[in-house]
Amino acid sequence: MAFAVMSLCLTFQTHARENSDSIAAAADSAYIHGDFMTAASLYEDIIENFGVNATVYMNLGNCWYKQDEIARAVLCYERAYLLDPSDDDIRFNLELARTKTVDKVNPKNRFLPAVWFASVRSSLDVRQWSVSVIVLFALTVLCVGLLMFSKKYSVRKISLGFASIFFVFSILSFIFAFTQMGNISERNAAIIMVPSVTVKSTPIESGTDLFTIHEGRKVEILDSGMKEWVEIRLEDGNTGWLPLSAIEII
C-alpha cells in the first residue's frame, strides 16, 4: 500500500514537472517572439499552479520590464532576489530596473558589520546554506571522532583545530540560512505600485502630508494593523503612513 502511494506521488510529481516545463517552454517562446504579455501570463500560471521560483520570477520581471511596467518588474525582481540572492543576473536586472524609477535612494549610513553580514548571507540561497550546515557539521563530527579515538598527539591537535573551525562555520551557516528563511516567511517589505502616493503623518486622509514617493520604490512595513493603512519606513529612515492599496508585498 505504501509503495503504491509513493509511486502515485512520484507519478504526480513527474507529470507536474512536465506540465511546468511545457508551459515554461511556451512562455520562453512567446518572449523570444516579442509577445511579452502572453509570456507574462504563462509565467504567472507557472507560479500560481506550480509554486514560486526565482528564475520564473526573473523571467516574469523581464516581461514587465520590456513593457515598461517598471513597478511590476521591480516587484518580480525583488521576489526573485528574495528567493535567490546569490544569482548575479537577478541582482543586475533589479539594479537596472531601479534606475528607471523616479525616486533615487539615498540610504542612511549602515553599520559596517551589518553590511558585511548581509553581503555574506546573500552569497548563497537558503538551500545552499542548509547544505553547508549539514556538510560542516558532519566534518565537525568526523574531526571530533579523530580527536577522541586517535592516539597520536599531532592528529588530535590538528583534529581539535579543524573541529573548532568547522563548528564555528556551521553555526554561521545556520544563522545565514535561518535569517534568509525569516526574510522569506516574514515578507515585511513592499513595492509602491501606483504612479505616486503621499505619505501621511497619521493613518487618515486628513493627516499631514510628509513626502511623496513614486512607483517602484521599495518600502519596509512597520505596522499593518490598520485595515486600510500601513506604516512604512524608507531606506533613509523616514517613516509615515500610506494606503494599503498603494503597495504590493514582496
Side-chain angles (χ1 to χ4, degrees), residues 127-244:
R127 182 187 61 80
Q128 293 168 330
W129 279 123
S130 300
V131 171
S132 296
V133 172
I134 296 172
V135 172
L136 289 168
F137 188 75
L139 291 172
T140 302
V141 172
L142 177 63
C143 290
V144 170
L146 290 174
L147 174 65
M148 293 177 62
F149 296 107
S150 178
K151 296 182 179 180
K152 293 183 177 181
Y153 175 76
S154 59
V155 173
R156 296 178 63 187
K157 184 178 180 181
I158 294 174
S159 297
L160 177 60
F162 277 103
S164 301
I165 294 172
F166 289 142
F167 181 72
V168 169
F169 277 97
S170 68
I171 295 299
L172 289 174
S173 296
F174 176 80
I175 293 172
F176 291 140
F178 184 79
T179 53
Q180 272 200 18
M181 183 61 71
N183 290 337
I184 293 174
S185 60
E186 288 176 7
R187 301 295 180 98
N188 62 347
I191 299 297
I192 303 298
M193 301 302 291
V194 295
S196 64
V197 60
T198 300
V199 179
K200 303 283 187 176
S201 61
T202 54
I204 52 176
E205 287 292 346
S206 59
T208 302
D209 294 348
L210 297 179
F211 49 88
T212 300
I213 51 180
H214 301 83
E215 63 179 339
R217 184 73 179 269
K218 183 179 181 180
V219 299
E220 178 187 359
I221 299 175
L222 299 179
D223 186 353
S224 57
M226 300 292 290
K227 185 177 181 180
E228 298 179 352
W229 293 79
V230 290
E231 185 181 16
I232 59 95
R233 178 168 56 201
L234 303 182
E235 298 89 337
D236 57 11
N238 288 326
T239 63
W241 294 82
L242 52 73
L244 179 62

Side-chain angles (χ1 to χ4, degrees), residues 111-136:
F111 189 46
L112 285 180
V115 174
W116 174 85
F117 181 88
S119 177
V120 175
R121 183 184 61 192
S122 64
S123 63
L124 300 175
D125 61 23
V126 173
R127 182 187 61 80
Q128 293 168 330
W129 279 123
S130 300
V131 171
S132 296
V133 172
I134 296 172
V135 172
L136 289 168

Side-chain angles (χ1 to χ4, degrees), residues 46-58:
I46 295 174
I47 293 171
E48 180 178 355
N49 296 308
F50 303 101
V52 296
N53 179 286
T55 300
V56 176
Y57 267 131
M58 183 180 71

